[in-house]
Amino acid sequence: STTYMDAREEIDRFVKDVQKTGSFKTTLKTFPIGTNKEAIKDYLKKLYFDSNLSAVIFIGEIPAAEYFPGSVSQVKVPTDSYYYDVYDKCPFNTQNQAFDSRNKFCDPITLPFIISRITPPSRGADGLQLVKNYLNKNHAFRIGTLSFDQKALLYPQALNDVAIENRPSTFDYIIDNFKIFFEIDALPLYGENELIVADWESMASNPSPNEKFLEELSKNHQYAFIDAHGYPQGHLYNVNKDTIKNPNVFYADFYSCSVGKFTEDDYVAGQYLFKGNTMFVKASSDLIFKPIGLVESQKLFLLKQGQSILETLRSSQPSFIIQNFGDLTLKMPQGANQKNARSRISLSQEKIDFGQIKVCKD
């Protein structure tokens, strides 16, 4: 309610902008200061069961639940997965004062709806101004006065963990996954000149390889792949609120530990979302482990083909440690490659029989 009071003009305009897309029936709901998360969840459950809720955007300091243990750590993890548990199957552990993440219902196979946050990395008047700034640039993007180049910025800092002799092949694997989807030339992602690889290798002659990354970050990019070791307030090397000046990325994808821990001041995913013109960020609020060089080509392909961020997230594997930040109803503008080479399927038959599909009750 406080956020809405001070940013009413921007929020009301945002609601109208979302409605104009024609894809969503939109409801705006404000909660008084101090409303507990149980009341918010009950409201969302009613929308889900009565009105086919598909997307939720939290603006301001909507409370989050904590899960224990973390993905690989014995810590409590802030997460919005609490709101996904529409059947209240995830148990609360009184000893740890957190929901027990080891229960399968705490990390569902599929999500009933998709949640994202517009939660600033600072509080008070500064935080409110950041929210207003984000909604203003969101409107600018929607009306066409803000645009992004058809380029991807890659910062594969985690490659430093790979043995030197294996780095070239791992690097080539990453690049290949950004060029085409499933080795099919007809489904292009980015061309040779559309991939910007920032300095990432730590050597005696280059002990802090972040200058090119920070410089490129201030230029307009459609997508940023940030595979770098992290913590809530930054990631390697020395990338934090003091060095991030003006990030301009439509969609920033983090494969970094804890950078999306939005309950902490100055959380770095928030720095990316609010400092420049970035529209959307996906990040983890806990430690994250994955194969080095992993690229979610399917999601990127769908984005490049004109699917909304919401639809691409539906196809991703859910995890209670992964949080979304920004407006998930947006669509990434298509490049010339996608407009001229749309994927199609040609069949001679008029019907396809998929047979019987068994659905597990759980």
Side-chain angles (χ1 to χ4, degrees):
S1 58
T2 302
T3 303
Y4 184 61
M5 186 187 308
D6 290 324
R8 182 167 187 165
E9 179 181 347
E10 291 82 3
I11 292 174
D12 286 347
R13 183 187 59 199
F14 174 59
V15 173
K16 291 178 181 178
D17 283 346
V18 174
Q19 289 173 333
K20 287 177 182 178
T21 65
S23 303
F24 303 98
K25 177 183 178 182
T26 307
T27 298
L28 171 64
K29 173 68 174 178
T30 61
F31 292 96
I33 297 173
T35 301
N36 59 38
K37 58 184 178 295
E38 290 80 13
I40 298 172
K41 182 178 180 179
D42 286 342
Y43 175 77
L44 296 180
K45 285 166 58 177
K46 181 173 176 55
L47 284 181
Y48 173 66
F49 290 117
D50 295 349
S51 306
N52 194 29
L53 179 66
S54 61
V56 178
I57 300 176
F58 290 152
I59 301 179
E61 298 182 30
I62 303 297
E66 291 184 313
Y67 280 27
F68 180 91
S71 55
V72 294
S73 60
Q74 296 296 305
V75 300
K76 292 194 285 189
V77 179
T79 175
D80 286 324
S81 282
Y82 165 77
Y83 296 105
Y84 293 138
D85 182 20
V86 294
Y87 295 100
D88 298 316
K89 296 283 190 177
C90 188
F92 187 79
N93 186 304
T94 55
Q95 178 180 351
N96 296 305
Q97 288 296 295
F99 289 89
D100 193 338
S101 63
R102 293 166 292 191
N103 183 284
K104 65 178 179 179
F105 294 102
C106 288
D107 205 359
I109 297 174
T110 59
L111 299 177
F113 43 83
I114 309 295
I115 295 173
S116 68
R117 283 181 169 267
I118 302 177
T119 299
S122 57
R123 314 301 175 193
D126 289 342
L128 284 169
Q129 186 59 51
L130 290 175
V131 169
K132 295 170 73 171
N133 292 347
Y134 176 82
L135 296 176
N136 284 334
K137 69 183 181 184
N138 184 286
H139 180 69
F141 173 76
R142 287 175 176 274
I143 64 174
T145 57
L146 172 63
S147 61
F148 298 88
D149 294 338
Q150 300 286 329
K151 294 182 179 181
L153 173 61
L154 316 185
Y155 184 51
Q157 180 274 322
L159 277 175
N160 285 286
D161 296 349
V162 178
I164 293 178
E165 63 271 18
N166 294 329
R167 289 179 190 175
S169 60
T170 307
F171 178 79
D172 290 343
Y173 170 74
I174 295 175
I175 297 301
D176 288 344
N177 277 295
F178 274 101
K179 288 183 178 178
I180 52 180
F181 181 54
F182 284 153
E183 304 295 328
I184 303 174
D185 290 335
L187 307 181
L189 290 178
Y190 290 101
E192 197 77 47
N193 297 326
E194 296 174 334
L195 288 173
I196 310 298
V197 182
D199 295 335
W200 57 269
E201 197 165 16
S202 179
M203 303 173 294
S205 60
N206 194 20
S208 299
N210 66 11
E211 291 185 7
K212 183 178 179 181
F213 171 68
L214 291 170
E215 178 185 346
E216 286 291 338
L217 194 62
S218 295
K219 302 176 183 178
N220 281 352
H221 291 85
Q222 190 181 61
Y223 183 83
F225 171 77
I226 303 163
D227 190 2
H229 292 296
Y231 56 97
Q233 284 74 35
H235 57 83
L236 295 185
Y237 294 93
N238 192 34
V239 180
N240 51 49
K241 70 171 185 176
D242 296 322
T243 57
I244 298 171
K245 301 301 182 185
N246 190 35
N248 290 320
V249 178
F250 176 80
Y251 190 119
D253 232 345
F254 276 100
Y255 298 87
S256 303
C257 292
S258 305
V259 295
K261 198 169 186 178
F262 56 89
T263 53
E264 294 200 13
D265 289 344
D266 300 327
Y267 76 100
V268 74
Q271 302 295 329
Y272 277 78
L273 186 67
F274 290 96
K275 269 200 168 179
N277 288 326
T278 302
M279 291 286 107
F280 191 83
V281 175
K282 183 177 73 66
S284 173
S285 58
D286 189 32
L287 303 182
I288 182 172
F289 287 88
K290 63 163 192 63
I292 292 176
L294 173 69
V295 177
E296 295 178 84
S297 297
Q298 178 183 1
K299 178 185 67 180
L300 185 54
F301 170 73
L302 292 173
L303 282 171
K304 295 280 288 181
Q305 288 296 107
Q307 291 288 333
S308 68
I309 295 173
L310 169 64
E311 294 304 322
T312 66
L313 294 176
R314 287 186 189 277
S315 67
S316 301
Q317 180 68 38
S319 170
F320 73 91
I321 69 171
I322 301 299
Q323 317 301 326
N324 306 310
F325 304 96
D327 178 7
L328 45 68
T329 69
L330 293 176
K331 294 181 179 181
M332 179 184 286
Q334 289 181 284
N337 284 342
Q338 283 69 41
K339 290 178 180 178
N340 297 329
R342 298 295 299 274
S343 58
R344 295 182 176 88
I345 184 170
S346 177
L347 299 173
S348 57
Q349 61 265 45
E350 295 179 352
K351 296 181 179 179
I352 301 176
D353 183 2
F354 290 102
Q356 292 184 341
I357 300 175
K358 294 182 179 180
V359 179
C360 175
K361 290 182 178 180
D362 292 339

